[in-house]
Amino acid sequence: MDSREYFAKFTDPVTFSKIIERDTVVEMWENVIKEYVDDVAIVDDGVSYTFSKLDKDMSSYRGVLAEQGLVKGDRIGVYAKNSYDLVKMYLAGVTSGLCVAILPAHLDEKTLFGVSMMFGLKALCYTPDMEERLNVCKAMNPNLKLLLSSLEGKATPMNSKVTSNDPAIIMFTGGTTGRSKGALLSHEALMQGTVNGCYGIPNVFKQRYLLILPMSHVFGLIRNVMTALYTGSALYIVKNNKDMFKDIAIFKPTILVLVPAVAEMALNLSRQFGRNMLGEDLKCIICGAAKVAPYLILEYKKFGIDLYPGYGLTESANLVSGNPDQFNKPDSVGYPYPHQEFKVVHDELWIKGKNMMVGYVGDENANKEAFEDGWFKTGDLVRFDEDGFLYITGRCKEIIVLSNGENVSPAEVEVFFNALPYVQDSQIFEDVDDKGQHFIALEVVPRMTELAKVKEEDKMAFLMKELYKVNETLVPYMRAQRIVIRDKDFERTPAMKILRYHKC
């Protein structure tokens, strides 16, 4: 079945007819500004900015870039925390035909300088609060143009010569090897990811979003910011994640884009304080960037909220698949989006498609490792079911090779323990004892809200008993020889993924 035809089943025909694929961000913005000119696009620090205001400010900042002699194909960086100014600078750059590197706000001044050199940036656009971190760039790279977000220039139109194959953005990623790299995405890839975010949702146009994830993360930029703008939706920028629920009460979002760890936290608070913690208008949660537990799908449904899991990579412009049939297939990351080809090689997913990156910037060795005959090797171990739905079973680099030659995928084993309602997260890893003998170990983070319902007085003893029951159901070589219940969460990346323990 054609992917668009499949996703059409979940959206009314009139709404679905409005999901039109665009070749470039320029083309997208031309249509957006005609359709939603007076609607609110961004809310930042209590100030609402309409699409027309954003368009005007983009035009002025394009003038700033042009006055600096920047021309189509040049690379610039934007260095700012989530803000209206970040959205403005990014869109001004991309619609000028420049390639924009969205730099994580947590980069220190030495790393910022290194990145500016590695990516060949000709300018760095920044907000005033980031200025103190520019000292090394000023001293070591005097040719780098430093442009404040508040600068204004002559109104300048979008670059009509931008094509689908032109470079659009550079996004930071750990890639398939774990080293930080910059994934170069074309306009075609960026727009395919943006439109993919519309598929499978009943009502996607003119919604209300919060922006919680950083724009330097592909999930935050593409599914949260770009899909919101494409659909004429309003985007409320959360300045401090600790204030997220206050912001929900003010803005009343209809869609949230969350990683599983934040979705879990929001669920627990909603149980404690009621549905109002999420706002009565919230209809759905788009959840990804890490494994989504079926538990979350089922529990949010009790609040009348649909939680949609999905799968993607920075290298694939975020969105590879989405699951609009999550109650029938809660373990799946969904059905593949359009314009992709797949093959599975030794259980690893390989992809080609319009949404795939051009390559890693300035890292030919990484490109040779990541691509083979034009196929991108994701590093994810997968399977497809008879209906074409995708399931992630592990990561190639996390495979544990036992002394007897058996291979164990931690994620494949963890799914059995995570199926317990009392387990929030788990991690299978290879450990070593005092005698140098290697073995499989398990650590779990308990889900205290579920354990609280257990009648047994010693709740941790109860949980350990349940874990060993699961352990006994596994084939012998997959069983954990040591199980530990943690009293705090695992360490996590800025994207809230669990930091895996290194192999022994």
Side-chain angles (χ1 to χ4, degrees), residues 381 392-394 399 407-416 474 478:
L381 303 175
I392 307 298
T393 60
I399 292 293
N407 291 350
V408 176
S409 168
E412 190 174 7
V413 179
E414 289 159 4
V415 70
F416 294 101
L474 303 176
M478 286 185 173

Side-chain angles (χ1 to χ4, degrees), residues 6-124:
Y6 173 79
F7 286 108
K9 298 186 298 183
F10 300 92
T11 308
D12 74 83
V14 173
T15 298
F16 196 80
S17 69
K18 294 171 63 178
I19 303 175
I20 300 171
E21 297 180 353
R22 306 294 181 185
D23 289 333
T24 68
V25 178
V26 171
E27 183 186 339
M28 169 196 130
W29 193 254
E30 286 173 344
N31 285 273
V32 163
I33 200 62
K34 290 176 186 175
E35 187 77 18
Y36 308 110
V37 59
D38 293 323
D39 293 330
V40 172
I42 307 287
V43 180
D44 187 15
D45 274 340
V47 179
S48 295
Y49 301 87
T50 62
F51 280 89
S52 61
K53 172 61 174 171
L54 177 54
D55 183 58
K56 179 181 177 181
D57 291 345
M58 285 163 55
S59 179
S60 173
Y61 208 77
R62 280 195 297 268
V64 172
L65 299 172
E67 288 160 13
Q68 293 295 321
L70 296 162
V71 297
K72 182 174 178 284
D74 285 345
R75 294 176 184 169
I76 66 170
V78 290
Y79 185 48
K81 297 174 184 175
N82 281 359
S83 59
Y84 173 77
D85 280 343
L86 176 52
V87 177
K88 175 192 74 177
M89 293 187 294
Y90 150 69
L91 285 174
V94 172
T95 56
S96 294
L98 305 176
C99 180
V100 179
I102 303 180
L103 307 177
H106 61 76
L107 293 184
D108 60 43
E109 54 185 347
K110 291 183 180 179
T111 306
L112 185 63
F113 162 69
V115 166
S116 72
M117 298 299 290
M118 181 173 70
F119 291 170
L121 303 182
K122 292 192 174 182
L124 184 63

Side-chain angles (χ1 to χ4, degrees), residues 77-206:
V78 290
Y79 185 48
K81 297 174 184 175
N82 281 359
S83 59
Y84 173 77
D85 280 343
L86 176 52
V87 177
K88 175 192 74 177
M89 293 187 294
Y90 150 69
L91 285 174
V94 172
T95 56
S96 294
L98 305 176
C99 180
V100 179
I102 303 180
L103 307 177
H106 61 76
L107 293 184
D108 60 43
E109 54 185 347
K110 291 183 180 179
T111 306
L112 185 63
F113 162 69
V115 166
S116 72
M117 298 299 290
M118 181 173 70
F119 291 170
L121 303 182
K122 292 192 174 182
L124 184 63
C125 307
Y126 66 97
T127 47
D129 56 318
M130 311 302 281
E131 188 160 16
E132 62 182 21
R133 299 189 201 173
L134 303 181
N135 293 328
V136 175
C137 281
K138 290 177 181 177
M140 303 295 291
N141 191 5
N143 292 325
L144 181 68
K145 303 175 189 296
L146 301 175
L147 307 176
L148 259 173
S149 57
S150 57
L151 294 175
E152 296 181 4
K154 181 181 178 181
T156 303
M158 294 186 289
N159 192 326
S160 61
K161 295 182 180 179
V162 172
T163 69
S164 60
N165 292 324
D166 284 332
I169 57 172
I170 299 172
M171 299 298 293
F172 266 72
T173 177
T176 59
T177 62
R179 301 189 307 273
S180 292
K181 297 181 286 296
L184 177 61
L185 297 172
S186 67
H187 276 260
E188 178 179 67
L190 177 56
M191 286 313 307
Q192 188 62 53
T194 297
V195 174
N196 285 350
C198 300
Y199 292 126
I201 309 298
N203 298 299
V204 72
F205 289 92
K206 300 191 75 167

